[in-house]
Amino acid sequence: MRYVFAALCLLLSAAAVQAHDVRPAYLEIVERPAGDLSITWKSTASNNAVTFTPQFSTGWTHSSPASTRQAGGAVERTWIVASPHAPLAGTRLQIEGLETTITDVLLRVVYADGSELTRVLKPSNASFTLPGAEKSGAPVREYLQLGFTHIWSGIDHLLYVLGLVLLVRTPRLLIRTITGFTLAHSISLAAASLGYIHIPPAPVEAVIALSIVYIAVELLRARDGQSSLVSRAPWLVSMSIGLLHGLGFAGALAEVGLPAGAIPQALLLFNIGIEIGQLTFVALVLALGHALIRHLPQLTSSLRWVPPYAIGSLASFWVIERIHAFF
């Protein structure tokens, strides 16, 4: 097991510079009983709120926003449309410039009668025609999709999980290790999203990168036959570092600022989406590893040094880059 996955490491490295620059943007449209509209557009600074913007067929956002503010890494712009000349139903929404990004947009529409609509707009489908008010169920698919997309675009988290898979040598211990990581980051994700703890995202992201460097070092130690806490009790280490990664996951929700009333439900579904994505990744890694061992045993053995150095080099770059962002 420890001699595989070099090809996967290189594949991840090619896309890794995008780690955590793809947090979802958030668009909220509220129809007030008096008839006016409030349109709020939130995007993280890494998304660059000016690069892609919501445009309506009615021209509601053609004027300057009524307010613009920046809180932490999020930029929020709000338009107030008094007595709109066109109804919401039938209005065409286009997120201009979204097709040039790899970012999703979570759309939430609140109608005057209290009914809500939630959709996820993607670069491949950046337009949407708003329907009329109707009663709808919980936006299960949308939040699951956000969680799944977030873990697959968070290359740093995937590299950490890859390091755990490479370190753990038995299926039973791997299950315990991944379960420990899941439980830990679920706890810290919930605590951060519900406001019980708050740590600025910049130092969290830097320490997450440092945790990946640590795993890469442990991979080298394991290759040389050296014993360590990670090799003896990987589940304990994965739980400890998982608390940190959960704070990173929370940034996708808290920094963009989902509506307070939707946080508990969004939190659960978002976390389930993360777990589905994480388990999918582990399954693919194990399948690839099995194929390499079976069909290319000599190549796999000769490239056994690639994963720790590829993971460690990339994570070291992230550490420097994210610490530099402090200044």
Side-chain angles (χ1 to χ4, degrees):
M1 182 71 70
R2 66 183 184 277
Y3 294 152
V4 299
F5 316 132
L8 184 58
C9 278
L10 295 176
L11 177 63
L12 290 176
S13 298
V17 293
Q18 298 171 352
H20 275 298
D21 285 334
V22 289
R23 291 183 177 132
Y26 176 64
L27 176 63
E28 181 180 74
I29 306 169
V30 178
E31 183 182 37
R32 296 171 177 170
D36 58 337
L37 298 175
S38 172
I39 302 173
T40 301
W41 171 247
K42 298 180 182 179
S43 176
T44 62
S46 58
N47 292 146
N48 191 345
V50 179
T51 300
F52 57 99
T53 56
Q55 299 293 339
F56 296 86
S57 57
T58 53
W60 289 332
T61 55
H62 287 174
S63 60
S64 299
S67 65
T68 301
R69 70 184 185 91
Q70 184 165 354
V75 179
E76 176 182 318
R77 293 187 289 167
T78 302
W79 291 263
I80 301 298
V81 183
S83 302
H85 60 275
L88 275 178
T91 296
R92 187 72 172 171
L93 166 65
Q94 174 76 34
I95 309 296
E96 291 191 355
L98 185 64
E99 66 278 2
T100 65
T101 73
I102 54 173
T103 301
D104 294 339
V105 174
L106 177 63
L107 168 67
R108 179 173 180 254
V109 183
V110 181
Y111 294 94
D113 65 357
S115 60
E116 297 186 13
L117 170 73
T118 303
R119 289 290 184 273
V120 175
L121 304 182
K122 307 181 76 64
S124 59
N125 187 19
S127 61
F128 180 67
T129 299
L130 299 175
E134 58 183 19
K135 298 297 182 181
S136 59
V140 174
R141 186 185 57 146
E142 284 74 14
Y143 286 121
L144 286 176
Q145 188 177 13
L146 275 179
F148 187 91
T149 302
H150 183 69
I151 186 64
W152 274 92
S153 59
I155 306 298
D156 45 0
H157 292 298
L158 291 182
L159 278 185
Y160 177 79
V161 173
L162 175 62
L164 292 179
V165 174
L166 291 170
L167 274 170
V168 179
R169 307 184 183 214
T170 65
R172 179 175 296 181
L173 189 55
L174 177 60
I175 292 174
R176 292 178 60 189
T177 302
I178 296 299
T179 300
F181 180 67
T182 296
L183 291 176
H185 75 61
S186 297
I187 292 171
S188 56
L189 169 61
S193 298
L194 295 175
Y196 292 110
I197 59 176
H198 175 71
I199 300 176
V204 169
E205 298 292 350
V207 180
I208 285 175
L210 191 60
S211 73
I212 303 170
V213 175
Y214 171 68
I215 288 297
V217 171
E218 291 301 315
L219 279 172
L220 290 174
R221 287 168 57 88
R223 188 194 67 173
D224 295 336
Q226 300 181 38
S227 178
S228 66
L229 179 61
V230 175
S231 61
R232 294 191 301 270
W235 57 271
L236 181 60
V237 175
S238 70
M239 287 187 66
S240 302
I241 298 180
L243 292 171
L244 189 66
H245 282 246
L247 298 178
F249 291 141
L253 292 176
E255 195 168 290
V256 171
L258 293 180
I263 287 288
Q265 180 188 64
L267 178 62
L268 175 62
L269 295 173
F270 180 79
N271 196 50
I272 293 175
I274 286 175
E275 297 320 312
I276 294 174
Q278 182 174 279
L279 292 175
T280 302
F281 175 75
V282 170
L284 290 175
V285 167
L286 293 176
L288 177 59
H290 178 74
L292 288 174
I293 290 175
R294 182 175 181 179
H295 299 290
L296 298 170
Q298 292 183 343
L299 177 63
T300 301
S301 178
S302 64
L303 293 179
R304 65 185 182 275
W305 56 269
V306 173
Y309 283 107
I311 293 172
S313 298
L314 192 54
S316 297
F317 170 77
W318 283 333
V319 172
I320 297 171
E321 180 185 49
R322 294 173 184 184
I323 291 178
H324 179 72
F326 293 173
F327 306 101

